[in-house]
Every structure is written in structure tokens, then in C-alpha cells.
Amino acid sequence: MKRFFIIVSAVVATVLLSVGCHNESVRISGQFVGLNAKTVYLEQMSASGQQVIDSVALAQDGSYHFFIKSVADTPSLYNLIYNNDRIPLLVQRGEDIEVSALGSALINYTVNGSEESELLRTFNKEYIEGQMELQRIMQSYPTAKGEERKHLAEQYNACYRDIKRKQISFIIENKEHIASVYALYQRLAGEQHLAGADSDIIYYRTVADALSKSHKESPYLITLNNDIARMEARLSLLSSIESRSYPDLCGTDMYGNEVALSSLEGCVVLVDFWSAEMGNSNAFNAELKEIYDKYESQGFRVYQVSADTSKAAWITAVQEQRLPWISVCDFKGEASPMLRAYNIRKLPSNYLIDTKGNIIAKDLYSAALERRLSEIFD
């Protein structure tokens, strides 16, 4: 009896281990027939780009299969590539997905075993068909004349509006699915925005709010939130510009006081972006202090924005270097809206603003800065 219990326990443990391993992986199989292509490729999409991770030759009946190990628990984007057509799949741990097509796979494929991938198929079919119709109209337009050209223009506009309407409807109706993120980032030729520079943020927020409940561990949610932060910074910038020609900033100094860049209007202001944690900050600030001492009495001011995340490091540097100008920091590092407002890509960086609020120079240091200030004041 005891031996029987040991044997049964061992069998159960083996089965559980097998199931556990299976649940960590994904199987993708199916059948492609009707074309001359003999190979199917599997491409993985990530934040760093796209990479073909596997390929298989089709069997005589057109069948194939892939086995992906250690797949994420949240849906991740892959592409099946067949005959140069890409079939997007949102793959999740433990799925057994079947993808097949007769002839061209671009819009005529079928998918089973993956809810998110089936949603992608539904969206992609209408979206690509719409693109093909736009292309057909554009090809006829150059040779058309008179009323025919006018009719083609009306057709194009109606088709374009229909594509965008369906795209936005799909995003809203499926906002709790990762497939909505894929749809959110699709753009027609020449497009920069989904629905408009100002209104895009509404749809991004809608999807992000829904995913924070349904897929809060998804890396795509992080991407969404980063893009929303950039949009918010841009909108904040636009609202702050008003009558002035430079982006206004408002930061907190070491004493907890909020200080706006616009409070220095009427002065010549150097908006300086730096980091106390960078090894070259002492040298740059030492040179700037000499120039500041020379021109401060004539109306030269410095509004210095720190890209640090450590409050202690920043305050220590400000105190030790005895910086005499306005120093502010929000401790958000490179994600700071203040850096984004001026599109800062490297540190240090600076902008020089004249007494009328016009940005007149960028990245002036040492002798170049002193020479420009001498032209202004002397």
C-alpha cells in the first residue's frame, strides 16, 4: 500500500511538472497553402526592435509548427512572416495557437486558440482593406480630370474617415485588451496622430486606465503611461506659452518654494539644464559663476534646472558650490516635464532668452556665452 502511494505520488509529480513546463510555453502551428513560399518565420517584437527568432520549412501539406519557451504571462507581440506578409499575434503563456491561410495571408488568415490574436485579426483585416482602398483611389487620381478627380477626392476623404472611425471604435470597444494598444499605434501613410494632436491623449488615457485593471503587469502599459506623460508635458507647455515665445517652467527650489521662469521676464535669462551627479558639474558651474558675477548687475539671470533624482545629492551640490542663482528640481530625472518642455537630449544644455522673451541661442558655454552677453550688454 505504501509502495502504491509512492508510485502514484511520483506519477502525479511528473504530470504536474510536465503541465507546469507546458504552461510556460506556447505552441504555434497551422497550414499555409496556395503560394510558392516554402518557409515561415517567427519574429519577436520588443521595445528594442524586431528580431526573427525562428524559422521552419513547410511540410508537403503546408503544415508547420513553432514551440516558444518561457513566454510572458501577459500578451506579447510576435509576427508570423509568410510570403513577406506579416501576421501579428499577441501570444500569452500556455496558449496553443493555430494560424492558417489559403493563398495570401495578409488579410485571409484564420486564427484559433488566442483571444487577443483573434482581435488583432479582426482589426487588421478592416484596417488593411481600408489602406488598399486608399491606395487604389490614389493610383487613379493623377490621370483623372474634372468631375472624376473631384469624385475621387470625395471617395478618398470618405474612405479615410471610415478607417479612422472603425479604428477608434475598435480601441474603445476593446480597451481592456492588449490588442487595443496595437490599434492605438497604427498610422496611415503620412499620419502623425491618431485623431489629432490634442485629442489623442483621451484615447491613450482610456486604454491605460482599462489596462491598469486587466493587465497591470504588461510592459505595454508602461509605454502607454510614458507617452501620456509626454503628451501632458506638451499640452502643459502649449497652455503656458500664451503670449511669450518660450516654454514657461515652474520648479521647486531647495527651500520648497515654487519659482516660475516667467518671474524673470524683462531680464536676459540663461535656462540651464544640469545634473549634480555628473562629474563635470563643478567645472561648468565655476565658469558660469564668473560670468554671472560680471553681468548680474546688468540684468543677467540664471534659471538652473536639475535632472537629479536624489534630493540629498542636489542640495549638497548647490550648497557646496554656493550657486547664487535660482536652482530648481522635481527629482524625476530624465522623465522630468521640465526637460521634455525644452526637448533636452543631453546634459548639460542651455537656452539663452532675451529681454523680450525670445530664445536667441542654445548651448553657449565659457567664452561663447560671455561673448554673446557682451554683445547684449556692452
Side-chain angles (χ1 to χ4, degrees):
M1 184 69 175
K2 184 176 180 181
R3 177 177 173 78
F4 174 78
F5 178 77
I6 293 174
I7 293 173
V8 170
S9 298
V11 171
V12 170
T14 302
V15 170
L16 289 175
L17 181 61
S18 174
V19 171
C21 291
H22 173 73
N23 286 340
E24 292 286 327
S25 59
V26 167
R27 183 174 182 267
I28 303 174
S29 61
Q31 191 176 34
F32 289 129
V33 295
L35 296 177
N36 293 326
K38 302 299 182 183
T39 306
V40 185
Y41 301 90
L42 181 64
E43 182 178 63
Q44 185 174 18
M45 308 293 289
S46 66
S48 59
Q50 54 199 61
Q51 180 182 9
V52 173
I53 60 172
D54 201 357
S55 64
V56 294
L58 295 177
Q60 286 189 344
D61 62 353
S63 62
Y64 69 93
H65 76 270
F66 291 101
F67 192 72
I68 316 174
K69 297 180 180 180
S70 301
V71 178
D73 193 34
T74 59
S76 301
L77 185 60
Y78 290 77
N79 288 321
L80 278 182
I81 306 174
Y82 173 65
N83 197 44
N84 294 322
D85 290 333
R86 278 179 166 80
I87 300 174
L89 302 173
L90 279 168
V91 173
Q92 192 168 356
R93 181 181 297 173
E95 290 182 328
D96 189 351
I97 305 171
E98 182 181 330
V99 182
S100 300
L102 177 62
S104 173
L106 188 61
I107 56 176
N108 296 318
Y109 68 93
T110 61
V111 58
N112 294 292
S114 171
E115 180 186 11
E116 292 280 357
S117 298
E118 171 59 20
L119 285 172
L120 278 191
R121 188 199 65 79
T122 302
F123 168 77
N124 234 26
K125 186 175 189 301
E126 288 190 335
Y127 196 74
I128 292 175
E129 285 176 342
Q131 287 179 306
M132 292 169 67
E133 178 63 13
L134 287 179
Q135 188 175 9
R136 183 195 67 78
I137 296 170
M138 286 300 296
Q139 287 173 344
S140 302
Y141 192 80
T143 57
K145 297 179 181 179
E147 287 298 315
E148 183 185 2
R149 175 171 281 214
K150 181 181 178 181
H151 178 65
L152 286 173
E154 292 173 349
Q155 274 189 316
Y156 185 93
N157 290 333
C159 180
Y160 180 88
R161 288 193 298 269
D162 187 55
I163 293 171
K164 302 312 294 182
R165 179 185 59 80
K166 290 178 178 178
Q167 183 180 10
I168 292 172
S169 294
F170 179 90
I171 291 167
I172 298 301
E173 291 170 6
N174 299 283
K175 58 184 180 294
E176 72 280 4
H177 293 280
I178 299 296
S180 67
V181 180
Y182 178 90
L184 192 63
Y185 284 93
Q186 299 309 300
R187 298 289 181 269
L188 296 173
E191 277 189 337
Q192 290 184 335
H193 306 288
L194 171 66
D198 294 337
S199 56
D200 273 8
I201 194 169
I202 297 170
Y203 301 107
Y204 280 73
R205 282 174 176 161
T206 298
V207 174
D209 289 344
L211 291 184
S212 66
K213 299 179 180 66
S214 62
H215 293 88
K216 62 181 179 180
E217 303 299 327
S218 174
Y220 300 124
L221 181 58
I222 298 173
T223 301
L224 268 180
N225 286 329
N226 287 338
D227 286 342
I228 290 170
R230 280 192 286 271
M231 292 178 190
E232 288 174 340
R234 185 187 63 80
L235 292 174
S236 175
L237 164 61
L238 291 175
S239 65
S240 72
I241 289 177
E242 298 174 350
S243 61
R244 62 183 66 92
S245 60
Y246 64 88
D248 197 12
L249 302 175
C250 188
T252 305
D253 66 16
M254 61 186 291
Y255 304 105
N257 302 314
E258 289 191 352
V259 186
L261 173 59
S262 56
S263 66
L264 300 177
E265 281 185 352
C267 300
V268 176
V269 183
L270 184 75
V271 186
D272 187 60
F273 298 88
W274 73 303
S275 170
E277 296 172 351
M278 292 180 64
N280 58 1
S281 67
N282 284 23
F284 280 108
N285 283 334
E287 290 181 343
L288 184 55
K289 282 171 69 176
E290 292 183 8
I291 298 172
Y292 182 81
D293 288 342
K294 184 175 181 179
Y295 290 100
E296 188 264 343
S297 62
Q298 299 183 55
F300 176 54
R301 300 290 183 269
V302 174
Y303 188 94
Q304 194 170 58
V305 180
S306 168
D308 291 298
T309 56
S310 168
K311 186 173 184 178
W314 171 64
I315 291 179
T316 298
V318 172
Q319 290 179 329
E320 288 183 349
Q321 297 179 38
R322 298 182 180 180
L323 304 183
W325 46 70
I326 296 171
S327 291
V328 298
C329 187
D330 61 10
F331 311 108
K332 294 181 180 179
E334 295 181 0
S336 170
M338 291 192 288
L339 272 67
R340 288 175 178 165
Y342 279 80
N343 195 30
I344 299 301
R345 302 292 179 88
K346 64 178 181 65
L347 294 173
S349 290
N350 64 41
Y351 287 85
L352 188 64
I353 301 173
D354 68 11
T355 56
K356 296 180 181 179
N358 299 311
I359 296 175
I360 57 174
K362 178 183 178 183
D363 290 339
L364 293 179
Y365 297 95
S366 305
L369 175 60
E370 186 165 7
R371 187 164 50 249
R372 191 59 187 271
L373 292 176
S374 177
E375 293 171 359
I376 295 171
F377 292 116
D378 299 340

